[in-house]
Amino acid sequence: MSFMEDEASDSGVDSRSRLESYVFSCELSSDVPFYTFQADEDEDMEHFLELRTICLGDGAKDENNVVEVTAMNHQGKKISVPVANLHISCLPMVSLGEFELMAPVTLRLKSGSGPVTVSGLHLVATENEDSDMSDEEDDDSEEEMPAVKPAKKKQ
């Protein structure tokens, strides 16, 4: 599934970019306590991780499970933030809406034994080479429209 200009403008991506989305999921547990989402190093692409839900899996114990996200802040420094504190009896799942982070992102089960499933979208923004042509065509079509004349007043 791919999105064009409207979706791209919402995510902070240039309107001349094409945005493609792919399903993302990982499971954190005491056996695998962290997952790092990294992007391919390609100059023409930007990778984002949009977290949507975090939920306890089958067999989760009666304990707190804290999930922490580590990513870059606006100053380019790594920062770690807890995003969910799940408990099987009162909060087995949390919805994060569209929590978008630029790669690289590390998800870590800070406390608890899980299993915890983190899901969302892997967004890939690429340069849209056809956008320059379509922008020019849009401008031409606007110029060809006749000017709107004001209505005559009745006396």
Side-chain angles (χ1 to χ4, degrees), residues 7-104:
E7 291 294 321
S9 63
D10 291 344
S11 65
V13 176
D14 189 334
S15 64
R16 285 177 260 180
S17 297
R18 191 174 103 196
L19 192 61
E20 295 178 353
S21 62
Y22 304 94
V23 174
F24 167 82
S25 179
C26 72
E27 186 175 277
L28 306 174
S29 66
S30 56
D31 294 334
V32 183
F34 68 93
Y35 175 85
T36 301
F37 170 79
Q38 293 187 353
D40 299 331
E41 295 201 17
D42 190 344
E43 294 176 10
D44 298 336
M45 292 186 205
E46 288 186 297
H47 294 264
F48 300 90
L49 181 59
E50 183 177 288
L51 301 178
R52 296 279 178 102
T53 60
I54 303 175
C55 63
L56 290 174
D58 209 17
K61 297 177 184 173
D62 190 19
E63 64 186 1
N64 285 344
N65 288 272
V66 177
V67 177
E68 177 182 78
V69 171
T70 302
M72 297 288 188
N73 68 7
H74 67 286
Q75 296 172 333
K77 296 180 182 177
K78 280 189 178 182
I79 184 170
S80 296
V81 179
V83 292
N85 186 351
L86 305 176
H87 196 278
I88 195 70
S89 64
C90 63
L91 187 64
M93 183 183 118
V94 65
S95 176
L96 298 173
E98 297 174 2
F99 186 55
E100 191 174 300
L101 301 160
M102 185 179 276

Side-chain angles (χ1 to χ4, degrees), residues 104-117:
V105 177
T106 299
L107 304 162
R108 184 167 72 104
L109 186 58
K110 188 171 181 177
S111 71
S113 56
V116 175
T117 301

